[in-house]
């Protein structure tokens, strides 16, 4: 009887580990699109957004985050101009996802970014949609400002935590 209970307990723990929420890390500087993010007028909408979104698909291929998982976006960058706010959202911007599928439904913001001063932090998102074929971070704001952000490593490694 004790063996049966022990076996059942181990099975329940193993099953819980399989379905447990996972955490994924993104270091913006590990993007495959280069170390400078240019933000300009969005040709499809009224806001300003990155013309070359930081993309991290190669770090997640075969192991995309699932709904309920967490994604930590770690960033360190220097802007060429003052920015009152910068919003970030984790998306799938692939053709297969029709160029815009939110992976997280949260649009989080950082504020009071000063020109030529390193700015760093972490934003945590909850995954609501499994990526179709890409993982990117959209950077945007509503202010009529063209900017360039130079990305720097944060010390975190992109991938599954």
């Amino acid at each position: 009887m004790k063996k049966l209970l022990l076996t059942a307990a181990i099975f329940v723990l193993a099953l819980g580990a399989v379905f447990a929420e996972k955490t994924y890390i993104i270091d913006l500087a590990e993007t495959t699109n280069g170390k400078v993010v240019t933000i300009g007028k969005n040709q499809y909408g009224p806001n300003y957004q990155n013309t070359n979104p930081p993309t991290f698909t190669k770090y997640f291929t075969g192991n995309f985050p699932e709904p309920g998982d967490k994604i930590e976006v770690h960033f360190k960058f220097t802007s060429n101009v003052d920015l009152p706010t910068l919003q970030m959202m984790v998306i799938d911007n692939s053709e297969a996802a029709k160029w815009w599928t939110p992976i997280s439904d949260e649009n989080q913001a950082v504020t009071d970014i000063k020109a030529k001063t390193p700015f760093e932090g972490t934003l945590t998102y909850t995954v609501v949609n499994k990526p179709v074929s890409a993982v990117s971070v959209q950077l945007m704001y509503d202010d009529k400002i063209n900017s360039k952000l130079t990305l720097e490593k944060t010390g975190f490694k992109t991938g599954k935590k």
Side-chain angles (χ1 to χ4, degrees), residues 75-127:
F75 55 87
K76 183 176 182 181
F77 60 81
T78 304
S79 176
N80 65 327
V81 295
D82 288 349
L83 295 174
T85 187
L86 175 66
Q87 301 166 34
M88 295 185 209
M89 185 174 194
V90 183
I91 66 166
D92 181 336
N93 68 331
S94 66
E95 182 176 6
K98 298 185 169 77
W99 307 113
W100 181 270
T101 296
I103 294 171
S104 69
D105 64 355
E106 304 169 87
N107 185 359
Q108 297 187 37
V110 294
T111 58
D112 201 25
I113 300 161
K114 299 297 180 199
K116 299 178 177 57
T117 302
F119 188 88
E120 63 184 300
T122 303
L123 297 174
T124 302
Y125 298 88
T126 300
V127 175

Side-chain angles (χ1 to χ4, degrees), residues 21-151:
E21 162 189 302
K22 296 179 221 65
T23 300
Y24 294 81
I25 303 291
I26 291 176
D27 178 342
L28 276 187
E30 291 186 333
T31 175
T32 56
N33 282 355
K35 300 296 183 226
V36 176
V37 177
T38 302
I39 300 178
K41 178 71 176 89
N42 177 0
Q43 63 184 356
Y44 303 108
N47 68 337
Y48 283 64
Q49 68 182 27
N50 46 232
T51 58
N52 54 332
T55 301
F56 307 91
T57 306
K58 79 174 192 171
Y59 298 99
F60 298 102
T61 302
N63 191 22
F64 280 137
E66 300 278 344
D69 290 343
K70 301 290 184 193
I71 297 176
E72 295 176 6
V73 177
H74 298 264
F75 55 87
K76 183 176 182 181
F77 60 81
T78 304
S79 176
N80 65 327
V81 295
D82 288 349
L83 295 174
T85 187
L86 175 66
Q87 301 166 34
M88 295 185 209
M89 185 174 194
V90 183
I91 66 166
D92 181 336
N93 68 331
S94 66
E95 182 176 6
K98 298 185 169 77
W99 307 113
W100 181 270
T101 296
I103 294 171
S104 69
D105 64 355
E106 304 169 87
N107 185 359
Q108 297 187 37
V110 294
T111 58
D112 201 25
I113 300 161
K114 299 297 180 199
K116 299 178 177 57
T117 302
F119 188 88
E120 63 184 300
T122 303
L123 297 174
T124 302
Y125 298 88
T126 300
V127 175
V128 295
N129 295 305
K130 183 174 182 173
V132 177
S133 65
V135 176
S136 299
V137 176
Q138 183 74 21
L139 305 172
M140 57 204 152
Y141 45 76
D142 292 329
D143 301 292
K144 295 180 179 178
I145 303 170
N146 291 314
S147 66
K148 289 187 181 184
L149 307 178
T150 303
L151 306 174

Side-chain angles (χ1 to χ4, degrees), residues 8-20:
I10 291 171
F11 177 76
V12 169
L13 287 173
L15 190 60
V18 168
F19 293 105

